[in-house]
Amino acid sequence: MSQTSKDFNTLEDFDYRGKTVLLRVDINCPLDKTTLKIVNDSRIRRVVPTVRELMGKQARLVILAHQSRKGAWDFINLEQHAEHLSRHINAPVRYVDDVIGKEATDAIKALQPGEVLLLGNVRAIDSETAKGDMMKQSEGEIVQVLSPLIDYYVCDAFGASHRSQCSLVGFEPKVPSASGRLMAKEMFALKAIFENPRRPSVFILGGAKFGDASEMIDRVLGNGMADTVILVGLAGNAYLLARGVDIGEASSKVLQEELTPENLQAAKDILSKYGQRVLLPVDVAVERDGKRVSVNIGDLPTKEPALDIGDATAEKFAKVIMASRTSFMSGPAGMIEKEDFAIGTRMLMTAMVDSGGQSVIGGGHTGGAAERFDLADRFSYVSTGGGALETFLLGEPLPVIEALKYSREKHPAER
């Protein structure tokens, strides 16, 4: 996907002084399951430059964001997000737990230049997650209510840019729109890193899902973006199964609905097509009697589920990464919430930053792990995107970017 600086408007293209600006951000944060408190606010910190710039230009700033989705345990209001943002910009951020009701609209109308207002969780509105293209979403109730109250729309939500949802793609046809600093930085940095990677290039794919892994592997190996793909996490387990390894009922159960005959066959086809260019774990780590135990693949199955790559695998993969000139990681290697099963992820990330090459990680949990290990500042680039990053790497259009392009054509830069 080709992007240039003229594809969409950016912050310098409009004069925001005294104007009302709706800023859509992705500050969806990991929470503590017991306390529901934010445990990592890196996504909030990443939008601070855009917020400060708009405040400095004396915009009346309205922020729209989401946290998780209805029905999920971490679907909460955004009051503590406002508190975190307030601390990072060193200025008050008013919060109203409303999106399109009277409380929200009155608060928007009362804004003064340079002030910041965060509205409630936009996914509390059912129409936000309704399916539809840009034009359909532009007729959604969120756009209908809020667009008459704003002068400009700015999207800085790269992490959600793969979603064609009302607050993400619906405003661009209605009002002059621009990308925020983070969105522009993500797009230009990723294009620069992945269009011409230094060799050898290795991709590490992990995390808690694997349904799209086969398509991504085929893409990055087929077009030369990567020379080798390392599979860890659920993708590693699924591909072991595809190779004929009995990973055990406990590990198979974790794969759940993604373990379809089609996905399993796709994995077998990838292994047949690319052979040794796809590296799988040689051992896994399980929890036995409260301790981490590495189990060789030949000794599987076990009654315990695999919670991380094993020690031998971590060492083997780290050597491959150390020899690379470009390394990219999406998704952790294990259950990083447990210290004993964050070892694999830590070793792979350490190898990435120690390799001396270009090192890139993406996805909220991956970035959070890097911060926890005090490695985040040592990577060449830390992307806020998970699904958006995967969509970008697959070469598919990002709905938000397409909407911003459309808006530039309809609402050209004013300066």
Side-chain angles (χ1 to χ4, degrees):
M1 177 167 51
S2 175
Q3 303 292 339
T4 74
S5 60
K6 296 187 182 300
D7 278 344
F8 46 81
N9 294 318
T10 53
L11 288 187
E12 58 271 8
D13 290 320
F14 300 112
D15 182 4
Y16 306 100
R17 189 168 301 276
K19 303 295 187 180
T20 302
V21 178
L22 179 64
L23 171 64
R24 176 59 159 102
V25 295
D26 180 5
I27 50 176
N28 186 26
C29 297
L31 307 181
D32 182 288
K33 201 162 189 174
T34 304
T35 64
L36 295 184
K37 295 295 184 184
I38 293 173
V39 295
N40 183 296
D41 69 357
S42 60
R43 281 190 168 179
I44 296 176
R45 283 181 271 126
R46 296 291 291 278
V47 301
V48 165
T50 297
V51 173
R52 281 182 172 158
E53 185 170 344
L54 289 168
M55 289 174 65
K57 292 180 177 180
Q58 291 298 295
R60 307 170 194 261
L61 187 57
V62 184
I63 302 178
L64 204 52
H66 72 277
Q67 172 67 42
S68 190
R69 60 179 61 84
K70 274 189 175 180
W73 68 268
D74 54 347
F75 179 75
I76 62 170
N77 69 37
L78 305 181
E79 187 171 6
Q80 59 177 314
H81 298 67
E83 294 170 358
H84 279 252
L85 179 59
S86 178
R87 287 199 298 270
H88 291 309
I89 65 173
N90 196 30
V93 175
R94 184 184 174 195
Y95 176 71
V96 296
D97 195 23
D98 183 29
V99 179
I100 54 175
K102 188 174 187 302
E103 187 180 5
T105 56
D106 285 351
I108 293 171
K109 293 172 184 176
L111 271 176
Q112 296 301 307
E115 291 185 343
V116 183
L117 168 70
L118 176 62
L119 300 181
N121 191 336
V122 71
R123 287 187 180 170
I125 310 297
D126 289 336
S127 59
E128 164 67 4
T129 50
K131 293 185 177 179
D133 61 15
M134 175 180 65
M135 289 307 179
K136 181 179 179 181
Q137 299 293 19
S138 71
E139 300 303 321
E141 60 180 336
I142 298 172
V143 176
Q144 294 303 308
V145 172
L146 298 183
S147 60
L149 303 178
I150 65 174
D151 300 293
Y152 298 101
Y153 171 79
V154 174
C155 191
D156 217 16
F158 175 78
S161 62
H162 59 305
R163 301 191 183 280
S164 181
Q165 294 181 342
C166 189
S167 69
L168 292 161
V169 302
F171 288 95
E172 288 90 339
K174 298 288 188 181
V175 296
S177 303
S179 71
R181 294 304 182 198
L182 177 61
M183 174 75 80
K185 185 178 180 182
E186 290 268 11
M187 292 305 300
F188 301 143
L190 292 176
K191 180 175 179 287
I193 289 166
F194 293 120
E195 268 199 352
N196 190 24
R198 302 176 192 168
R199 305 292 178 183
S201 171
V202 59
F203 275 43
I204 306 109
L205 304 180
K209 59 181 182 177
F210 78 95
D212 296 329
S214 296
E215 186 181 357
M216 185 175 295
I217 295 166
D218 195 33
R219 163 89 177 169
V220 300
L221 289 179
N223 72 1
M225 193 180 292
D227 300 300
T228 305
V229 170
I230 289 173
L231 294 181
V232 293
L234 291 196
N237 291 346
Y239 267 70
L240 285 173
L241 195 61
R243 205 177 70 183
V245 175
D246 184 355
I247 61 175
E249 185 178 343
S251 291
S252 297
K253 191 176 180 181
V254 178
L255 297 172
Q256 296 177 340
E257 70 273 6
E258 288 191 86
L259 192 61
T260 63
E262 293 79 13
N263 282 343
L264 205 55
Q265 185 58 52
K268 290 177 181 178
D269 293 343
I270 289 293
L271 291 174
S272 174
K273 183 175 182 179
Y274 293 107
Q276 295 305 308
R277 295 178 67 190
V278 179
L279 302 184
L280 305 183
V282 295
D283 63 348
V284 298
V286 302
E287 188 170 34
R288 189 171 292 166
D289 299 325
K291 295 181 179 179
R292 173 189 171 98
V293 176
S294 291
V295 180
N296 290 330
I297 297 305
D299 293 329
L300 293 178
T302 62
K303 62 181 180 180
E304 308 94 348
L307 300 181
D308 192 12
I309 54 175
D311 296 351
T313 299
E315 290 179 14
K316 175 186 175 183
F317 289 171
K319 288 179 181 176
V320 175
I321 295 167
M322 283 293 290
S324 71
R325 299 302 297 155
T326 300
S327 57
F328 167 76
M329 184 177 194
S330 177
M335 188 179 284
I336 55 175
E337 295 82 5
K338 293 190 172 187
E339 191 59 41
D340 282 352
F341 300 96
I343 291 173
T345 304
R346 186 194 298 267
M347 287 183 65
L348 300 188
M349 286 188 172
T350 300
M352 290 175 72
V353 298
D354 285 347
S355 70
Q358 287 273 14
S359 55
V360 183
I361 56 173
H365 291 290
T366 318
E371 291 215 346
R372 184 171 132 205
F373 304 149
D374 291 324
L375 295 173
D377 292 341
R378 296 181 59 196
F379 284 94
S380 305
Y381 193 74
V382 178
S383 174
T384 58
L389 186 57
E390 292 176 9
T391 302
F392 177 87
L393 293 174
L394 287 170
E396 298 170 3
L398 292 168
V400 170
I401 297 298
E402 298 306 306
L404 287 171
K405 288 181 184 177
Y406 176 88
S407 185
R408 181 178 175 90
E409 293 178 3
K410 188 172 181 182
H411 309 283
E414 296 172 351
R415 56 182 189 178

